Amino acid sequence: MSDVHSLERDLLAAIANAGDEAALEEVRVSALGKKGSISELLKTLGGMNAEDRKQKGPLINGLRDKVSGAIAARKSELALAALNARLQAERVDVTLPARPEPRGSIHPVSQVLDEITAIFADLGFAVAEGPDVEFDDYNFTKLNIPPDHPARQMHDTFYLAPQADDSQHLLRTHTSPVQVRTMLKQKPPIRVIAPGRTYRVDSDATHTPMFHQLEALVIDEQTNLGHLKWVVEEFCKAFFEIDTVELRARPSFFPFTEPSVEWDMRCDRSGGQTIFGTGHDWLELGGSGMVNPHVLEMCGIDPSRYQGFAFGFGLDRMAMLKYGAPDLRPFFESDIRWLRHFGFAALDIPTLDGGLSR
Ligand code: FA5
């Protein structure tokens, strides 16, 4: 029976050395397959006499059971090892960010523009647009600033070469011509904002040749200065993300509004940082007023029936104030370090419910 014992030793060693399931299967077939070494031994039992069979039967059957058991055990060992190797290879570090940080960012002016649009949409205003290259007539004359009016001097205008028909084009010096465009094509009630690019020959820490304004226009039958104040107040609360604001109205002059009012908002600059809503300082917001009846008339709206208000604020100035940028010029210099510092995450879209600036 030494051949049974040596076969057992050889087979158990081969099973232990099988490095993967394919090698193990080879050992199984060589031992327990149709022509395998153990199957051949089992076949010899039939030709034995009863005495030999009684003696060798349990030995050979025992060998078969032992080898089958060893194969099954090795098989699950190999399966576990394969699984562990796969888990190791496919390991995911869940502490890593899901995707790389986006590399671009939203410019503070675009951010402020989105914030303002969200605020005014909530107040029921539509967004109106006009071109950057504007007619002199819309930028000035229909706003009650005729060709020889001194107010033209204050606008430091970029003029384009005169047209063949002698009409004059210019880069709009304010967003107020969008008032004209809106009134010429839309009948009251009118409730629009017109944010956009504007141009003046001007450059210092708080003035740039290209800048942005936010225009608002409301025309209806009963609209009055109280409504104007309320809208400015609600806008400031939402924009500066504070619960109370205190406004100061200063008399002013614009040819296209009568009376005209400049608005300041209470703030505190004592600590070197601007805190909105409290304190002893005032922050300038911009100009406004009741639309001059003469402008309504020139834009085809009956001033005996309709009246309304308009305001025009500096949008870049508002971005400077809200986000603490001390100088306006870098806004338009495309310095990547400035943009990284003052930019906003691309997917944080400002909404009133979700938060404007987060
Ligand atoms: C106007 O332009 C009027 N159209 C505003 C208005 C509209 C009044 C409707 C009444 C009714 P003003 O020239 O003051 O007004 O300019 C408005 C704002 O634009 C200023 O308060 C300032 O914040 C901003 N601004 C003016 N010039 C520049 C500039 N060069 N760079 C940056 N911001 C400027």
Side-chain angles (χ1 to χ4, degrees):
M1 280 297 97
S2 67
D3 51 343
V4 173
H5 290 304
S6 70
L7 181 60
E8 178 182 320
R9 206 175 41 245
D10 292 350
L11 285 173
L12 291 181
I15 291 166
N17 289 333
D20 56 28
E21 291 200 37
L24 184 64
E25 179 62 8
E26 253 177 53
V27 179
R28 190 192 68 77
V29 171
S30 77
L32 301 167
K34 248 187 198 163
K35 294 200 170 127
S37 49
I38 296 178
S39 308
E40 292 298 333
L41 274 178
L42 285 166
K43 282 181 206 159
T44 62
L45 288 174
M48 290 181 192
N49 61 35
E51 189 59 32
D52 281 353
R53 197 179 308 126
K54 198 173 165 192
Q55 193 203 351
K56 291 189 180 167
L59 264 177
I60 298 171
N61 281 318
L63 172 65
R64 184 197 54 202
D65 295 347
K66 217 180 229 173
V67 168
S68 304
I71 288 173
R74 181 72 185 141
K75 193 169 177 172
S76 52
E77 222 174 85
L78 286 171
L80 185 65
L83 178 65
N84 282 337
R86 197 170 149 208
L87 286 175
Q88 194 64 28
E90 293 177 7
R91 200 160 93 178
V92 174
D93 184 351
V94 291
T95 63
L96 286 173
R99 60 172 103 103
E101 283 287 302
R103 294 180 68 194
S105 59
I106 299 294
H107 192 284
V109 170
S110 304
Q111 168 76 16
V112 160
L113 214 143
D114 284 349
E115 293 179 15
I116 284 170
T117 309
I119 294 167
F120 279 98
D122 192 56
L123 292 173
F125 283 69
V127 176
E129 285 178 321
D132 290 13
V133 175
E134 188 53 279
F135 299 120
D136 178 288
D137 186 43
Y138 288 5
N139 194 83
F140 291 126
T141 312
K142 282 204 166 43
L143 287 169
N144 209 23
I145 314 177
D148 51 355
H149 197 286
R152 286 194 177 219
Q153 301 307 313
M154 292 158 61
H155 279 235
D156 305 309
T157 312
F158 287 107
Y159 284 100
L160 277 73
Q163 301 293 294
D165 63 357
D166 255 6
S167 65
Q168 179 71 62
H169 285 178
L170 45 78
L171 293 181
R172 65 179 180 186
T173 57
H174 51 174
T175 41
S176 301
V178 185
Q179 286 188 38
V180 175
R181 288 178 173 274
T182 306
M183 289 189 276
L184 285 176
K185 66 168 188 265
Q186 187 184 332
K187 292 293 144 228
I190 293 172
R191 214 179 320 174
V192 293
I193 55 162
R197 270 191 293 269
T198 45
Y199 305 82
R200 289 183 198 176
V201 187
D202 217 351
S203 185
D204 61 33
T206 51
H207 294 84
T208 47
M210 191 281 296
F211 58 103
H212 298 78
Q213 285 190 346
L214 164 73
E215 193 82 12
L217 174 70
V218 174
I219 306 284
D220 210 334
E221 293 189 5
Q222 306 286 332
T223 309
N224 60 45
L225 268 180
H227 297 133
L228 165 62
K229 181 171 187 258
W230 183 84
V231 169
V232 174
E233 221 166 66
E234 287 307 301
F235 165 63
C236 288
K237 277 192 217 164
F239 181 73
F240 291 106
E241 300 177 60
I242 49 179
D243 293 330
T244 48
V245 296
E246 195 183 324
L247 292 179
R248 181 173 74 175
R250 278 182 291 114
S252 184
F253 173 77
F254 298 101
F256 36 94
T257 49
E258 183 57 37
S260 302
V261 182
E262 297 246 9
W263 296 101
D264 301 333
M265 188 181 96
R266 188 179 282 285
C267 71
D268 182 1
R269 292 198 186 97
S270 58
Q273 215 188 351
T274 309
I275 299 170
F276 307 111
T278 63
H280 299 288
D281 299 305
W282 294 95
L283 185 155
E284 277 182 37
L285 292 171
S288 71
M290 297 303 291
V291 178
N292 191 313
H294 194 208
V295 172
L296 292 176
E297 217 165 6
M298 282 189 279
C299 295
I301 291 179
D302 178 2
S304 64
R305 181 167 172 202
Y306 295 107
Q307 58 186 35
F309 65 79
F311 60 81
F313 294 170
L315 216 137
D316 323 84
R317 297 269 178 87
M318 306 200 68
M320 283 174 81
L321 293 169
K322 184 165 177 181
Y323 295 115
D327 193 322
L328 186 56
R329 288 164 296 194
F331 272 66
F332 310 113
E333 283 170 357
S334 300
D335 183 332
I336 201 81
R337 293 162 299 179
W338 188 93
L339 290 169
R340 279 205 192 107
H341 181 74
F342 285 105
F344 289 81
L347 297 176
D348 283 350
I349 295 160
T351 61
L352 289 185
D353 315 333
L356 287 181
S357 56
R358 283 182 232 210

